[in-house]
Amino acid sequence: MRRIKQHPMFPIFLVVFFGYVGFSLAFPIFTPMFLDPCHKFLPVNFPIEYRTILLGCVLAAYPIGQFLGLPLLGELSDHYGRKNVLQVTLCVTFLAYLLSAGAILLHSYWLLLVSRFICGYAEGNFSIAQSTAADISVGHQRVKNFGIINMAAGLGFVIGPIIGGKLADPAIVSWFGDDIPFWFSSILALITMAMVAWQLPETKPKSQRDPNHKIHPFSGLVILHRNFSRSGGRGLYLINFLFYFGLFFFYQYFPALLVNRFKYTSSDIANISAYIAVIIAFSQFCVVRPLAKHVKSRHATIFAAFLLAPSLIGLTLDHYKFVIYIALPCAALFMSIATTNLQSVVSHSVSEEMQGEVMGVNYSMQILGEIITSLLGGFLAGYFLISMPLIIGGVIVFTAAIALWMFTTKDLYQR
């Protein structure tokens, strides 16, 4: 029987897409579940101050798990094979979503907290997806394949909250509830696992692995320290952190600005999210991929980051049409170019043998930016201006562009 041709970027796309769907569908669920006294997850007379604290902890559990798991999973894939480790993480993800659904049904806060941490830890497999894409890429194909990964992440991040909100709404179907989205996510994990087994070849040859390598479950912190001690690595990681630290102010607080200034509803924000996703998808195919043939990744990142900074600040202007039809498309376009090419710059900075570890550390820095942004942005928006997070974000992105331009070695990062 003729062997069916494998298409490795398809399961990679699914890993990233379903991972972001499973992660982001929790957004419209947890806030009312914790803060609305009508929900039975917490006692009715539970003080609002404690409700907010518990909500913040459960929201932080996922990115903290990712932060610790990303570099470790990347290193594991370097030593034991991309496909092997990826399938194990998907199995753990499946079990974690089952635990989350059970925790909601049992009204168990601690089980929910643990399950979200485990889920985040396992879904650090984003670094493995990036490393696999790097393994199968030649020349400018690396930027193209990273663009596909970014598009999958963007689409999943947009579609996830819509799916989560609908599956948790008993007004649509009587048996829908807060636990249903997590049962749904567990099914997505099984589908992804099957597609990885069927369509993804092993891209890390046995000759490049060390099966006797011993790794502690929390050796991710050791890996972070080792990579920051590596000559030339520290600066690029910090630049990556700065860029995403600024960018996450947009992801976290642009919806708050729309609600405060233009009275947007949840449905309106979902429409804006779809609008952004369309622009990003269009940018990846019609701008980023053709650009990769003619412009070095480092140059493209610097150029796009310099233009992204004023676009983010432009979103704070009190003029609806300018924000929606000019500033927002510009921000999405430059964001698409900068994020894809910055990943390529980091990937090109190390040897093939270190791809998994380095991409894991790199994404951990992004997650660290997300954790800090969520805490600091609320303070800025609450005690200063609702637009302050976007202004600060634009300034930080501009600083990252200057740092990449002035403090990186051109010969190393322009490949």
Side-chain angles (χ1 to χ4, degrees), residues 336-355:
S336 183
I337 297 173
T339 53
T340 302
N341 282 279
L342 183 56
Q343 289 173 7
S344 182
V345 169
V346 174
S347 177
H348 276 131
S349 69
V350 296
S351 64
E352 296 297 327
E353 291 75 18
M354 296 182 62
Q355 286 295 317

Side-chain angles (χ1 to χ4, degrees), residues 13 16-18 20-21 24 148-163 273-274 276-282 285:
F13 180 93
V16 177
F17 176 73
F18 284 157
Y20 270 82
V21 167
S24 61
I148 293 174
I149 290 175
N150 282 339
M151 183 179 67
L155 290 174
F157 200 81
V158 170
I159 294 174
I162 298 174
I163 294 176
S273 299
I276 295 172
V278 169
I279 296 172
I280 290 177
F282 174 83
F285 283 103

Side-chain angles (χ1 to χ4, degrees), residues 37 63 79 119 135 137 144 169 192-193 197 264 279 285 306 342 344 382 398 402:
H79 291 284
C119 189
D135 292 340
S137 303
K144 294 180 180 179
D169 187 358
T192 308
M193 198 186 314
Y264 265 42
I279 296 172
F285 283 103
F306 272 129
L342 183 56
S344 182
F398 190 80
I402 293 177

Side-chain angles (χ1 to χ4, degrees), residues 7-8 23 102 105 151 183 197 200 232 245 311 374 382:
H7 299 278
F23 163 57
L105 290 177
M151 183 179 67
W183 299 114
L200 186 68
F245 182 43
S311 298
S374 62

Side-chain angles (χ1 to χ4, degrees), residues 122 131 140 181-183 192 228 305 309 341 361 370 390:
S131 301
H140 64 263
F182 296 97
W183 299 114
T192 308
F228 265 82
N341 282 279
V361 172
E370 180 182 4
L390 288 175

